[in-house]
Amino acid sequence: MTKTDQERWLRVKDRLRAELGEDVFSSWFASMEIEACEAGAIRQSVPTRFLKSWVQSHYAERLLACWQSEDKDVIRIELVVRSAVLKTATTKPKNGEAEVFNGGAIRHNGGDGRGIPLGDAGAHDALGGSPLDPRLTFDNFVVGRSNTLAHAAARQVATAKRGDPVMFNPLYIHAGVGLGKTHLLQAITWTGNGIGERKVLYLTAEKFMYGFVSALRSQTALAFKEALRGIGVLVIDDLQFLQGKSTQAEFCHTLNALIDAGRQVVIASDRPPSDLESLDDRVRSRLAGGLVVEVGSLGEELRLEILKARVSAARAHHPGFDVPLPVLNYIAKAVTHNGRDLEGALNQLLAQNKLTGHPITLEMAERAVRDLVRPMEPKRVKIEDIQRVVARQYNVSRSDLLSSRRTANVVRPRQVAMYLAKTLTLRSLPEIGRRFGGRDHTTVLHAVRKIENLVGNDMALAEEIEILKRQLQDNP
Ligand code: ADP
Ligand code: MG
């Protein structure tokens, strides 16, 4: 291992960060280190088995591609778990797990005076609780037909005292996206910790997998029990994202330990327990053994109430903000899918109102809603269509695009087409490579990067691409 290997790794990390975004990067790659580098093989280490298998199954290709764009001769990445690696002088004696363990920052108070003080934020932090949004409280939750039961159950759980008989365990709330699951779960957490009777720990499934489980694994069995003893209510959001056999085993273990000890468990997911295919039968039946409640879609009336609540909340910070009732009625009618889009529509109006100073009109609302619906439901674009439209635009044939010809008049259109395939479809890089005459995924990646860079500086190309996108997305 040389100094330049370390430097190369730093550059690879920059690439990963740029491609994956800061959140993903810091979740999976921040604690990765380079151990050795020889004959085209890079050995890298991570602190836990779980991280290793996660990176292997989700990011192996990406990691290799990033290395290859740094150095074409790299052909293989070998991932190892750090404790199994003999520490060399170049390996920093940093403990990746300890970092994760303390990584869950929490926003105690939104700064607007509405946050509820946490009973013991220290414990929440130490156990790696996920960040909470101070706006997601019971006060701000609008109750309607579709969520009455879920709301009542959530309230009951939030206000139960230590030693009260547990009425339903776990409480399992499921609903489609944007229907208020996270809102209810965080409301339970705020309220429970505000009362201070029982510690409530809120974790997303991702946090559970990465922070909590790996933290527990680094502890002794005794410390594990000790940690659990501190938790009165364990809240897990988005359970459908819980993946991997060993994580599920840890989850099952934790669930049983808590329920058997009379602690409350609350879970949210986008589907009922019976549809969590990857979960083992025993866990599924344990989940189904408490109270399972579904939150139905928000009716128009409820949508209108949510909008009104939002407007008055916004007014606390923006006193001049006002949305006439007909506009609210229109949004409640038009935005049918979920609460997130209601918020999006209002935010757009608020932004326009702030920027232009114009009062909010129905036309503005129509535009906001239209803009919202388009990106939410992108038309499925086919790679063949991309090839056809690009070929026509640049006056080459589709077979030119797929050929191995490297003349400038086909290279650029081919890169544009690959770029569009990456941005407009969900196809992977290798798949796109195959569809472009059996090219390697690194070639596709190179094309995508190339166009991304050019678009930043070349207005004409940016516009061309914008037009191509429109053609592909708007035309049936
Ligand atoms: P989910 O977790 O089910 O995808 P969220 O809890 O994130 O949905 O809700 C999406 C948005 O809609 C949030 O801003 C939330 O506050 C809002 N929302 C959903 N249902 C309600 C409700 N009944 N009252 C107030 N706001 C709601
Ligand atoms: Mg959610």
Side-chain angles (χ1 to χ4, degrees), residues 136 140-142 147 176-183 298 302 306 310 339-340 343:
L136 302 183
N140 295 337
F141 191 83
V142 183
N147 58 25
V177 76
L179 298 181
K181 300 183 295 295
T182 296
H183 194 141
L298 310 167
L302 188 54
I306 293 177
R310 275 295 149 80
R340 225 164 275 173
E343 185 168 20

Side-chain angles (χ1 to χ4, degrees), residues 337-366:
H337 12 286
N338 72 51
R340 225 164 275 173
D341 290 352
L342 289 176
E343 185 168 20
L346 270 188
N347 284 344
Q348 283 223 20
L349 294 180
L350 178 61
Q352 284 190 37
N353 174 248
K354 290 253 117 185
L355 292 173
T356 65
H358 296 320
I360 286 157
T361 62
L362 209 49
E363 280 105 296
M364 270 159 97
E366 276 167 6

Side-chain angles (χ1 to χ4, degrees), residues 112-188:
D112 56 3
R114 276 180 300 146
I116 299 168
L118 268 181
D120 184 350
H124 196 126
D125 281 0
L127 287 164
S130 299
L132 298 176
D133 182 337
R135 290 171 310 172
L136 302 183
T137 61
F138 282 122
D139 283 348
N140 295 337
F141 191 83
V142 183
V143 184
R145 202 156 33 93
S146 58
N147 58 25
T148 313
L149 186 55
H151 172 260
R155 267 223 105 98
Q156 156 75 34
V157 164
T159 53
K161 303 254 168 28
R162 199 181 329 201
D164 278 1
V166 177
M167 291 179 54
F168 26 77
N169 210 5
L171 168 60
Y172 187 106
I173 298 174
H174 67 100
V177 76
L179 298 181
K181 300 183 295 295
T182 296
H183 194 141
L184 279 176
L185 261 49
Q186 296 206 3
I188 292 175

Side-chain angles (χ1 to χ4, degrees), residues 104-106 118 123-125 127-133 136 180-190 193 199-208 212 231 233-239 266-268 340:
I106 194 168
L118 268 181
H124 196 126
D125 281 0
L127 287 164
S130 299
L132 298 176
D133 182 337
L136 302 183
K181 300 183 295 295
T182 296
H183 194 141
L184 279 176
L185 261 49
Q186 296 206 3
I188 292 175
T189 312
W190 284 119
N193 284 326
K199 245 159 255 156
V200 186
L201 182 67
Y202 171 86
L203 297 168
T204 59
E206 223 187 18
K207 196 83 193 178
F208 179 84
F212 193 65
I231 302 172
V233 184
L234 178 67
V235 179
I236 298 190
D237 202 352
D238 286 326
L239 186 73
V266 183
I267 285 163
R340 225 164 275 173

Side-chain angles (χ1 to χ4, degrees), residues 28 48-55 209-210 217 243 247:
W28 310 116
T48 64
R49 277 212 327 268
F50 168 64
L51 256 180
K52 176 184 159 191
S53 69
W54 184 269
V55 170
M209 290 189 284
Y210 182 40
R217 274 187 201 152
Q243 286 173 7
T247 312

